[in-house]
Amino acid sequence: MAAAGRTTADPPSHQGCAISSVRLGLPAQRGELRDRREHGHHLHHLVWRLGPGVRVCSSAVLGGGIGPRAWILNAQVPGGYPRLDPDRHLAGIAAAEGLTGPGAGLMTAAEVAAYTTAQDGGVTATVTAGLGVRGWAAAPEDDRAPSFRPGTVNIVVTLPAALSDAALVNAVATATEAKVQALLDAGLDCSGTPTDAVCVAAPAPGPDGGEPFAGPRSTWGARIARAVHGAVLAGARPAT
């Protein structure tokens, strides 16, 4: 197993369009940091151009569920997001990037240019973390979030091993457990924000059906957990 590593991106000067790239765990796949202007706001988004033969399991507002996905988009929107059609908004950003085919789109009010990444054994986790509105998952009945708010802790995981359906779902659960562990290790009294989202991207399985497990003590689940923990911890520490 390769040694775990973590890299954090320094916020750019915001002058370029394509500012930097994140090397992903999938062979020859890259996540690009891009920028755009919307109604006077200078905003950033990350784009993963996955290509054919990749499946994603996701809780994303656009393209959620399990299935083939050609791209992933994590888009920054202004605080107090006013739109009621986030899926159409994300589809418009994707179209402007030339993205075609099915994809998964996430939103966040966090500064996407301040994304953090960590790698472990071929797994890459990329995180955008904004923790201004945080709390515990099991909150009292009267402590409800609005019907929609842009997710503020978004996690995108890529790995080179094919996973079964069950393992893909297990990978999302493992990533979520690692996120909570990292938030606690960062000294935050929360399990996340009300609208966090996760995407796990892996090659489509062949006749063997793919890896059957992705829990935290399986080979790939353990790598996912360590990568997500490192990336979330790096993003959460400035908020303490």
Side-chain angles (χ1 to χ4, degrees):
M1 182 179 69
R6 186 179 74 217
T7 60
T8 58
D10 294 328
S13 61
H14 296 189
Q15 278 129 13
C17 183
I19 300 171
S20 64
S21 303
V22 183
R23 173 73 64 179
L24 297 185
L26 290 169
Q29 308 303 321
R30 298 177 67 87
E32 305 164 53
L33 181 63
R34 309 282 292 177
D35 68 355
R36 69 191 192 281
R37 291 195 176 274
E38 289 184 3
H39 307 294
H41 296 283
H42 188 190
L43 304 168
H44 292 87
H45 52 275
L46 281 164
V47 179
W48 288 259
R49 303 176 194 270
L50 302 175
V54 177
R55 292 202 310 166
V56 171
C57 181
S58 173
S59 61
V61 67
L62 173 67
I66 299 178
R69 300 291 185 267
W71 49 269
I72 299 172
L73 172 69
N74 184 15
Q76 178 187 357
V77 296
Y81 183 71
R83 293 184 58 161
L84 300 178
D85 59 346
D87 52 344
R88 291 184 62 186
H89 188 185
L90 285 163
I93 298 171
E97 285 287 350
L99 303 175
T100 59
L106 308 89
M107 281 186 168
T108 179
E111 173 52 77
V112 168
Y115 69 90
T116 55
T117 69
Q119 298 177 332
D120 192 292
V123 175
T124 299
T126 304
V127 171
T128 54
L131 292 156
V133 181
R134 60 182 185 264
W136 296 101
E141 176 68 18
D142 58 355
D143 185 17
R144 295 180 180 177
S147 57
F148 173 77
R149 297 189 63 170
T152 50
V153 179
N154 285 342
I155 300 170
V156 176
V157 175
T158 62
L159 65 152
L163 302 179
S164 69
D165 284 0
L168 273 173
V169 174
N170 206 174
V172 171
T174 296
T176 302
E177 290 183 42
K179 175 197 72 174
V180 176
Q181 181 182 347
L183 294 174
L184 296 178
D185 287 346
L188 300 176
D189 56 344
C190 65
S191 57
T193 82
T195 48
D196 295 349
V198 181
C199 284
V200 177
D208 64 352
E211 294 287 333
F213 305 113
R217 291 298 172 266
S218 67
T219 297
W220 288 103
R223 295 171 181 176
I224 290 168
R226 288 189 292 266
V228 170
H229 181 272
V232 173
L233 186 61
R237 276 177 169 159
T240 59

